[in-house]
Amino acid sequence: MSKLKIAVQKSGRLNQDSLQLLKDCGISIDNGKDQLKVTAPNFPLEILYLRNSDIPQYLEDGVVDIAIIGENLLIEKQNDLDIVEKLGFSKCKVSLAVPKEVEDDSLSYFEGKKIATSYPNTLNNFLEANNINAEIHTISGSVEIAPNIGLADGICDIVSSGSTLFKNGLRETKVILRSEAVLAKSPNIKIEQEQILEKLLFRMKAVLRAKNTKYVLMNLPNSKIAEVSKILPVLKSPTVLPLAEEGWSSLHSVIDETKLWDVIDKLKNAGAEGILIVPIDKMVL
């Protein structure tokens, strides 16, 4: 039977979130210690645990069919790979940073300066686009220490919370790009694997939709149903169920989490009572 081969990060910030997404999709993963290849018993999927920096090349060569990887790495490696879905986790920025005593936030500060980075291609493209001439020092790790030891005047690196910059006496001045985990596809994927990928994508989208939405229930007078229905950003129309109390109904809907509190305020002002907000496990359209 054909199997879809997926690469995930062997260790690091993407590993746990990637495996959790697959588990949320109903895929059983039982990998023992130090296993680098695992076959799911309940879905035609083979999981390969690979070093993060190697994954783009494995995709390009067709060794794996798909991979969960940071978009920033695909951009840096300059591989011509299709992104089939943005996954919404492991969000970060690739940013320029300078010693905190430097008061200049402008890009012109870096003119003629030395910049240490693990993302030379991303940085070079950005500098060229902004007509900045700087000397790029490529180092593989501990980029934040470079200004402190006199290697560079600033750095270009991944920023998540900013705590690592702060601990090393640096501050962020310019965001070069924003990144998140994505599902990328090999250009050499076969038809049989494409069909399995469609099934996996169907599950992933159901999980991802649910993470960004909430199920909302409320009670309101029947005279307010039309007004409240206009407030709700629903998929089609809200569900309305009569209550035992004459003239009242229970209205059910789904709300995008980013709009939740603004909508709740409007609902209360429109006369809704007893509002319940419930998490959604899966959401299939």
Side-chain angles (χ1 to χ4, degrees):
M1 182 180 177
S2 294
K3 287 185 173 61
L4 183 70
K5 292 183 179 180
I6 181 172
V8 298
Q9 191 180 63
K10 182 182 176 184
S11 60
R13 63 191 183 91
L14 275 175
N15 176 270
Q16 290 302 314
D17 285 339
S18 300
L19 295 180
Q20 188 59 54
L21 175 59
L22 294 175
K23 289 174 182 176
D24 289 342
C25 290
I27 297 168
S28 298
I29 302 170
D30 185 18
N31 59 308
K33 186 179 180 183
D34 297 328
Q35 267 188 287
L36 298 180
K37 186 171 74 169
V38 176
T39 299
N42 62 342
F43 192 84
L45 189 70
E46 193 171 79
I47 302 127
L48 281 74
Y49 297 88
L50 302 174
R51 193 169 65 175
N52 197 46
S53 59
D54 292 338
I55 290 177
Q57 194 61 53
Y58 277 98
L59 275 170
E60 197 165 4
D61 293 342
V63 176
V64 295
D65 303 305
I66 57 172
I68 296 176
I69 190 168
E71 187 177 7
N72 58 294
L73 184 58
L74 292 182
I75 292 170
E76 173 60 28
K77 293 289 186 180
Q78 300 181 336
N79 297 84
D80 187 20
L81 298 166
D82 288 337
I83 293 173
V84 293
E85 189 70 29
K86 294 197 173 188
L87 303 177
F89 57 82
S90 293
K91 292 185 178 182
C92 66
K93 301 171 285 185
V94 177
S95 299
L96 288 165
V98 299
K100 61 183 179 182
E101 60 270 16
V102 175
E103 297 180 357
D104 192 348
D105 284 353
S106 68
L107 277 178
S108 60
Y109 164 80
F110 292 98
E111 181 68 34
K113 299 290 200 304
K114 297 176 183 178
I115 308 173
T117 186
S118 297
Y119 294 88
N121 292 325
T122 303
L123 175 58
N124 186 61
N125 291 339
F126 177 80
L127 294 176
E128 285 188 355
N130 287 276
N131 298 312
I132 300 293
N133 294 304
E135 187 178 333
I136 298 174
H137 282 256
T138 304
I139 53 181
S140 59
S142 301
V143 174
E144 295 85 0
I145 200 173
N148 291 329
I149 61 175
L151 180 64
D153 303 292
I155 69 165
C156 173
D157 201 20
I158 282 184
V159 177
S160 294
S161 66
S163 61
T164 303
L165 290 180
F166 180 79
K167 289 174 185 175
N168 286 277
L170 302 172
R171 63 182 186 86
E172 183 181 23
T173 58
K174 182 69 177 179
V175 177
I176 289 180
L177 67 88
R178 297 182 186 275
S179 173
E180 63 185 90
V182 297
L183 187 69
K185 181 175 70 171
S186 169
N188 299 311
I189 190 169
K190 296 184 172 116
I191 293 174
E192 295 88 346
Q193 280 69 37
E194 279 273 19
Q195 292 170 345
I196 301 170
L197 174 57
E198 286 302 312
K199 293 179 181 178
L200 179 61
L201 268 175
F202 176 79
R203 296 188 186 193
M204 281 187 173
K205 288 177 179 179
V207 171
L208 296 172
R209 283 191 207 102
K211 288 183 184 297
N212 297 322
T213 52
K214 291 289 184 284
Y215 192 71
V216 178
L217 306 83
M218 70 206 76
N219 299 330
L220 70 166
N222 290 343
S223 60
K224 297 287 186 178
I225 291 175
E227 180 183 348
V228 167
S229 296
K230 291 177 182 177
I231 295 171
L232 291 166
V234 296
L235 297 175
K236 287 188 178 178
S237 62
T239 300
V240 181
L241 302 172
L243 295 178
E245 185 175 346
E246 186 73 25
W248 281 75
S249 293
S250 174
L251 191 147
H252 300 203
S253 185
V254 172
I255 298 180
D256 186 323
E257 191 168 27
T258 60
K259 303 173 183 175
L260 180 65
W261 291 110
D262 287 339
V263 173
I264 295 299
D265 288 340
K266 291 176 183 177
L267 293 174
K268 284 180 63 64
N269 291 335
E273 299 179 7
I275 301 172
L276 297 180
I277 302 164
V278 183
I280 301 173
D281 189 42
K282 307 287 186 296
M283 187 170 169
V284 179
L285 296 181

